[in-house]
Amino acid sequence: MKNASSGSSSAIKVGEFYELQTGSDVSSSNHYNDDIAPTQVKERTWNTWNVAALWVGMAICVPTYTLGGVLTSYFGLSVTEALMAILIANIIVLIPLTLNAFPGTKYGIPFPVLLRSSFGVFGSNIPCLIRALVACGWFGIQTMFGGLAIHILLSNIMPGWESLGGTGEVIGFFTFLVLNLYIVIKGAESIKILETLAAPLLLAVGIGLMMWASPKISYEALLAIPANRPEEASLWGYFFAGVTAMVGFWATLSLNIPDFSRYVRSQKDQIVGQVIGLPLTMFFFAALGVVLTAASTTLVGETISDPVTLIGKIDNPFWVVIAMAIIIIATLSTNTAANIVSPTNDFQNVAPKKINQTRGVLLTGLIGVLLMSWELLKKLGWIESDVSVEAMYSGWLLGYSSILGPIAGIMIVDYFVVKRQKLSLPDLYLTDGCYSGFNTNGMIAFAIPVALTLYSLLSGNLNWFYQYGWFTGSILGGLIYWFCAKSRTADVPNLAVQSD
């Protein structure tokens, strides 16, 4: 009943939460549609387990599996140091995750609508589209992994399919793409069901794989492998760089977590669910990747850090089919939640009257395909290129995520310090409300850290600013926003009083 009332809209307090009674002023606004409208309290049904399952489903994926190898190979850490960096980083990232989830749960609003408070109704489109492009890139990469798993699965159950080679992988890519888009178009409830069903299965399989691989390696020898860095080098510089990179892994979700917390039934559920679901799952699955990579030499005669490729080389069609089906489910649960929901909402924020949820999902899929187009054409044999999915994963996407730090700092300072957890729900959707246009404070606080990041990348100076980019960006962005809001009081909206 989001359009039940007429005239002026109002925010109604229900317990500790708020919901919007939509009048004609909001319903006719160019910045409103039903899909990005605040959820009603009765629609906020996710409990602690649903939130924990969401994170289990998102954390168990191919990129998580490879994190230990990334930290040991590229960041000069030992296995023990790498796993500790992953655990510490995910405990740290819980802070922005839980804080940015608060307004989503309290007001029922998605990420792009919350951004309107700190960047303005029009200004919010800038960080939204930056976030959306990152998600579309990850969506394309995960869909490539899922398509490869479908190809390997079909190669083991359909004689002759393997001979299709790259063409079979492309068919798998588009099959997996359609599965992803269908689930998200069905809505938040379908995502909740998928994550809740997938989580225990994925955990059980992970434990089973760990037990299966353990007899084939020596944990003592694995943990004794020396770090890949100069002997005289201090641990801490390498360690903190690794922690920063691992924080950056979920930097995107630390922004758009309101897209999910808007469906949670209490603040306690979102906090406890995230604490249970994220750090230990990431630690366990990254550790599984380290163990299976070490065991791969015994299993298939060579060191392989990609689980899809590793399992595909096992000479037992039955177990390959089972494993590929589980990888497909794991990648599906990650991709739908982590990489489609956010850009769908972000694209709607640009033109809600023209882009609804279905169109936003299809637009996300199209951009994901375009970003992977060179790889698809390579697999079809139509072009030759040295650019790989791995290069995209380890290169521009991880670097690109560093500019998202300032957005997280600005959001937290705006909601908890400047606005003191009080938002005017109707004005978030109005062209002439207190959040209209561009919020100069937010634009300045975002532009300065991003400019410093780009300067560091292009000039080679201020390496520390980019190396610890998420921390430096989020702290500097938050401080600048607070300073601007304090000194430029005219730019701070006069918040509407909520009605009970």
Side-chain angles (χ1 to χ4, degrees), residues 360-411:
V361 171
L362 296 177
L363 185 57
T364 298
L366 175 61
I367 295 175
V369 171
L370 292 176
L371 289 173
M372 288 291 108
S373 59
W374 94 95
E375 185 71 18
L376 295 171
L377 294 174
K378 275 173 56 181
K379 291 182 182 299
L380 291 171
W382 294 0
I383 64 170
E384 294 184 6
S385 172
D386 294 331
V387 179
S388 65
V389 172
E390 289 78 11
M392 187 175 183
Y393 162 53
S394 61
W396 77 271
L397 276 179
L398 286 177
Y400 197 63
S401 296
S402 67
I403 68 173
L404 301 179
I407 304 174
I410 291 167
M411 291 171 65

Side-chain angles (χ1 to χ4, degrees), residues 32-365:
Y32 173 91
N33 70 24
D34 285 345
D35 294 322
I36 61 170
T39 54
Q40 300 292 290
V41 172
K42 66 182 179 182
E43 297 175 294
R44 304 177 200 179
T45 60
W46 291 33
N47 57 29
T48 299
W49 167 242
N50 297 136
V51 177
L54 173 74
W55 278 108
V56 171
M58 289 196 294
I60 297 181
C61 60
V62 174
T64 302
Y65 179 99
T66 65
L67 289 181
V70 169
L71 288 176
T72 54
S73 301
Y74 297 103
F75 287 86
L77 301 181
S78 69
V79 170
T80 303
E81 292 162 356
L83 294 178
M84 287 304 300
I86 291 168
L87 180 61
I88 291 171
N90 283 280
I91 292 174
I92 291 172
V93 85
L94 279 174
I95 298 172
L97 276 167
T98 54
L99 291 178
N100 281 329
F102 263 81
T105 303
K106 183 175 181 177
Y107 291 98
I109 51 177
F111 164 66
V113 174
L114 176 60
L115 272 184
R116 295 173 180 180
S117 171
S118 50
F119 286 86
V121 172
F122 286 107
S124 64
N125 288 312
I126 295 174
C128 273
L129 292 177
I130 290 173
R131 169 66 182 97
L133 185 58
V134 175
C136 289
W138 281 116
F139 169 69
I141 288 175
Q142 293 278 14
T143 303
M144 195 67 74
F145 284 131
L148 176 59
I150 288 177
H151 171 66
I152 294 174
L153 184 149
L154 293 176
S155 296
N156 281 271
I157 62 177
M158 294 177 62
W161 185 274
E162 187 176 5
S163 64
L164 292 174
T167 302
E169 292 184 34
V170 172
I171 294 173
F173 175 91
F174 283 102
T175 302
F176 190 71
L177 177 120
V178 171
L179 281 173
N180 280 267
L181 301 186
Y182 174 77
I183 289 172
V184 180
I185 287 174
K186 293 288 288 184
E189 195 65 20
S190 65
I191 295 175
K192 182 177 82 170
I193 293 171
L194 170 66
E195 303 293 348
T196 303
L197 293 177
L201 171 65
L202 298 177
L203 285 174
V205 170
I207 293 170
L209 285 172
M210 185 70 85
M211 294 173 64
W212 171 66
S214 290
K216 298 173 176 60
I217 66 165
S218 166
Y219 281 102
E220 185 177 350
L222 182 63
L223 296 177
I225 297 175
N228 180 28
R229 61 175 180 269
E231 290 185 9
E232 68 279 3
S234 170
L235 160 66
W236 299 112
Y238 289 85
F239 186 79
F240 288 129
V243 168
T244 303
M246 293 304 99
V247 170
F249 191 81
W250 288 121
T252 50
L253 265 293
S254 70
L255 301 182
N256 76 283
I257 189 64
D259 289 334
F260 301 102
S261 66
R262 64 193 292 228
Y263 297 104
V264 180
R265 65 184 185 182
S266 73
Q267 299 290 7
K268 179 181 178 182
D269 284 314
Q270 68 93 352
I271 294 171
V272 176
Q274 294 197 89
V275 170
I276 293 174
L278 176 60
L280 293 180
T281 304
M282 287 289 292
F283 178 83
F284 169 69
F285 206 65
L288 176 65
V290 171
V291 170
L292 282 181
T293 299
S296 62
T297 305
T298 303
L299 295 171
V300 298
E302 59 181 304
T303 300
I304 299 176
S305 60
D306 170 14
V308 181
T309 304
L310 172 62
I311 295 170
K313 287 182 175 291
I314 295 174
D315 189 21
N316 187 320
F318 173 79
W319 288 114
V320 171
V321 168
I322 296 298
M324 286 302 121
I326 292 166
I327 286 176
I328 290 167
I329 293 172
T331 309
L332 190 64
S333 64
T334 299
N335 221 16
T336 52
N339 301 321
I340 305 181
V341 172
S342 175
T344 295
N345 288 337
D346 295 340
F347 293 137
Q348 289 186 80
N349 190 65
V350 176
K353 294 301 185 188
K354 297 180 179 179
I355 305 176
N356 58 14
Q357 178 170 305
T358 300
R359 291 176 180 174
V361 171
L362 296 177
L363 185 57
T364 298

